[in-house]
């Protein structure tokens, strides 16, 4: 049987290969990997390795190798589905409802459309930022000391002050109304449900990009006099859960960092990168979760909080420090003097 992709990802996250393999053989670190005696045959010298960042194992003598699922298949002599069940039990996860393959394929096809739609929308917003219509947003970035190359690195954009500019662009690019609503890019009219409006208007746009480089969602900061909250964010969709993602984690890919700097908002992250502090990330406005800590653990050993000194920031930070420590990363805290936020501090 096939399992839903998001459920399988969660299963892999909750069954770290090092902790699973350690129940079968003793591992010790050497040269960026962990080594141990192969559990699949007798040997005197360790030829079995685990690579924690790739979450795979490999034996140089018997050539066994693969993910944590392949490891359990071989170690417990189980088929694929039973190995998955074994790991679900180990992690205390319920098995997903059995879904037939046709439904799964349909869901995957829709997810792929939503990834593509978000990517297209990000390119649209970026083009608008560079056009005449984007001048107010470019002016805002200039005032905040953000230059063009930083704007490109973060894929920043501007959603025009228009009811349905994105909707028109996306439908002419072949996306359906349902897809755009599912992606959180457009919404139905409140009074007249047959009408369609863009979700973001007149906002500086921050694409939220996964570690693997996919555009998942957006945050938008109001630019003009405009109406509504200072920041708006895509809600949860089929491809996005803010509790599982970290802003700017895509820029950490392929790097081995001692430390990530955790700040509160999109602009804090971007300002720090602009000044050369290129290991800054943000938690997307939620209380930090264990999934987010695991995600950060793939790139760094420590997470250092640099939240501003107001009491809400301090409270969120204290909770976060606790969750980081429980996730076996090392938490740290930077105390910023004078009640400045980190962005003001680096520019002062
Ligand atoms: Zn072996």
């Amino acid at each position: 049987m096939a399992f839903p992709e998001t459920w399988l990802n969660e299963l892999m996250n909750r069954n770290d290969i090092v902790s699973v393999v350690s129940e079968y053989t003793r591992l010790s670190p050497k040269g960026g990997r962990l080594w141990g005696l192969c559990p699949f045959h007798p040997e005197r010298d360790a030829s079995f390795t685990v690579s924690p960042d790739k979450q795979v194992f490999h034996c140089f003598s018997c050539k066994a190798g693969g993910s944590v699922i392949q490891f359990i298949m071989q170690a417990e002599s189980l088929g694929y589905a039973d190995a998955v069940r074994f790991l679900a039990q180990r992690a205390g996860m319920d098995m997903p409802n059995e879904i037939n393959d046709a439904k799964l394929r349909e869901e995957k096809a829709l997810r792929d459309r939503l990834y593509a739609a978000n990517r297209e929308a990000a390119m649209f917003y970026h083009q608008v930022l560079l056009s005449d219509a984007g001048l107010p947003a470019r002016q805002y970035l200039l005032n905040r000391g953000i230059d063009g190359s930083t704007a490109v690195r973060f894929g920043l954009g501007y959603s025009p002050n228009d009811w349905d500019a994105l909707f028109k662009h996306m439908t002419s690019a072949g996306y359906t109304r349902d897809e755009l609503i599912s992606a959180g890019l457009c919404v139905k009219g409140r009074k007249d449900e047959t009408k369609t409006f863009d979700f973001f208007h007149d906002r500086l746009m921050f694409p939220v990009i996964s570690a693997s480089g996919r555009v998942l969602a957006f945050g938008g900061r109001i630019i003009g006099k405009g109406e509504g909250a200072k920041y708006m964010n895509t809600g949860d969709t089929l491809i996005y859960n803010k509790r599982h993602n970290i802003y700017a984690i895509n820029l950490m890919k392929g790097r081995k960092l001692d430390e990530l700097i955790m700040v509160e908002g999109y602009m804090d992250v971007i300002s720090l990168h602009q000044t050369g502090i290129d290991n800054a990330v943000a938690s997307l406005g939620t209380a930090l979760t264990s999934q987010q800590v695991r995600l950060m653990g793939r790139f760094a050993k420590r997470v250092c909080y640099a939240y501003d000194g107001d009491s809400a920031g301090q409270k969120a930070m204290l909770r976060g420090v606790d969750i980081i420590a429980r996730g076996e990363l090392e938490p740290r805290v930077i105390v910023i003097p004078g009640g400045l936020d980190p962005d003001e501090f680096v520019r002062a």
Side-chain angles (χ1 to χ4, degrees), residues 17-34:
I17 194 164
V18 175
S19 84
V20 171
V21 168
S22 297
E23 292 166 13
Y24 297 83
T25 186
R26 233 188 89 206
L27 296 170
S28 31
K30 194 178 142 198
R33 306 170 178 224
L34 298 165

Side-chain angles (χ1 to χ4, degrees), residues 104-157:
L104 268 181
R105 270 198 303 274
E106 208 175 281
E107 219 187 271
K108 173 158 191 325
L110 178 55
R111 266 203 308 273
D112 287 344
R113 286 293 285 170
L114 301 193
Y115 288 129
N118 273 300
R119 185 166 179 277
E120 179 67 33
M123 291 193 295
F124 172 79
Y125 290 141
H126 188 67
Q127 285 309 315
V128 178
L129 178 67
L130 302 179
S131 74
D132 287 350
L135 187 63
R138 290 205 305 279
Q139 191 59 51
Y140 172 81
L141 289 172
L142 199 66
N143 293 342
R144 298 291 300 256
I146 307 301
D147 67 23
S149 71
T150 301
V152 168
R153 191 167 345 126
F154 283 88
L156 300 185

Side-chain angles (χ1 to χ4, degrees), residues 6-244:
T6 46
W7 184 87
L8 264 186
N9 286 343
E10 178 68 14
L11 179 89
M12 308 284 272
N13 276 333
R14 293 221 220 159
N15 285 285
D16 180 72
I17 194 164
V18 175
S19 84
V20 171
V21 168
S22 297
E23 292 166 13
Y24 297 83
T25 186
R26 233 188 89 206
L27 296 170
S28 31
K30 194 178 142 198
R33 306 170 178 224
L34 298 165
W35 293 80
L37 298 176
C38 183
F40 305 134
H41 56 84
E43 64 177 4
R44 251 179 299 172
D45 300 313
S47 54
F48 178 90
T49 70
V50 172
S51 131
D53 51 338
K54 297 200 189 96
Q55 288 287 304
V56 294
F57 75 98
H58 175 73
C59 174
F60 286 94
S61 339
C62 70
K63 309 292 177 209
S67 72
V68 69
I69 297 175
Q70 276 84 42
F71 180 83
I72 288 300
M73 286 170 70
Q74 194 157 348
E76 298 289 336
S77 306
L78 296 172
Y80 178 80
D82 285 328
V84 168
R85 206 162 282 134
F86 178 96
L87 288 170
Q89 213 157 38
R90 180 181 181 276
M93 287 172 67
D94 292 329
M95 293 298 285
N97 295 328
E98 308 240 341
I99 304 172
N100 66 44
D101 285 358
K103 176 112 190 289
L104 268 181
R105 270 198 303 274
E106 208 175 281
E107 219 187 271
K108 173 158 191 325
L110 178 55
R111 266 203 308 273
D112 287 344
R113 286 293 285 170
L114 301 193
Y115 288 129
N118 273 300
R119 185 166 179 277
E120 179 67 33
M123 291 193 295
F124 172 79
Y125 290 141
H126 188 67
Q127 285 309 315
V128 178
L129 178 67
L130 302 179
S131 74
D132 287 350
L135 187 63
R138 290 205 305 279
Q139 191 59 51
Y140 172 81
L141 289 172
L142 199 66
N143 293 342
R144 298 291 300 256
I146 307 301
D147 67 23
S149 71
T150 301
V152 168
R153 191 167 345 126
F154 283 88
L156 300 185
Y158 174 63
S159 54
N161 192 7
D162 190 321
W163 289 115
D164 58 359
L166 179 73
F167 180 65
K168 281 183 191 142
H169 171 81
M170 296 297 286
T171 45
S172 75
Y175 292 92
T176 67
R177 179 178 190 251
D178 283 350
E179 286 168 346
L180 299 172
I181 290 171
S182 298
L185 293 167
C186 295
V187 290
K188 290 178 193 164
R190 239 175 286 169
K191 285 187 195 128
D192 180 353
E193 292 214 339
T194 64
K195 292 212 166 113
T196 314
F197 300 104
D198 293 351
F199 184 66
F200 296 100
H201 315 269
D202 191 16
R203 285 171 186 271
L204 178 64
M205 298 299 294
F206 308 91
V208 177
I209 303 174
S210 72
S212 59
R214 283 166 151 165
V215 181
L216 304 175
F218 292 90
R221 187 201 190 280
I222 207 148
I223 287 296
K225 289 205 180 70
E227 50 189 74
K230 187 167 158 197
Y231 280 93
M232 273 174 70
N233 300 289
T234 309
D236 286 353
T237 69
L238 195 55
I239 58 168
Y240 180 61
N241 180 337
K242 67 181 176 201
R243 296 170 53 79
H244 295 178

Side-chain angles (χ1 to χ4, degrees), residues 300-312:
K301 297 185 282 252
R302 282 198 306 270
V303 176
C304 179
Y305 262 97
Y307 270 26
D308 64 22
D310 67 27
S311 64

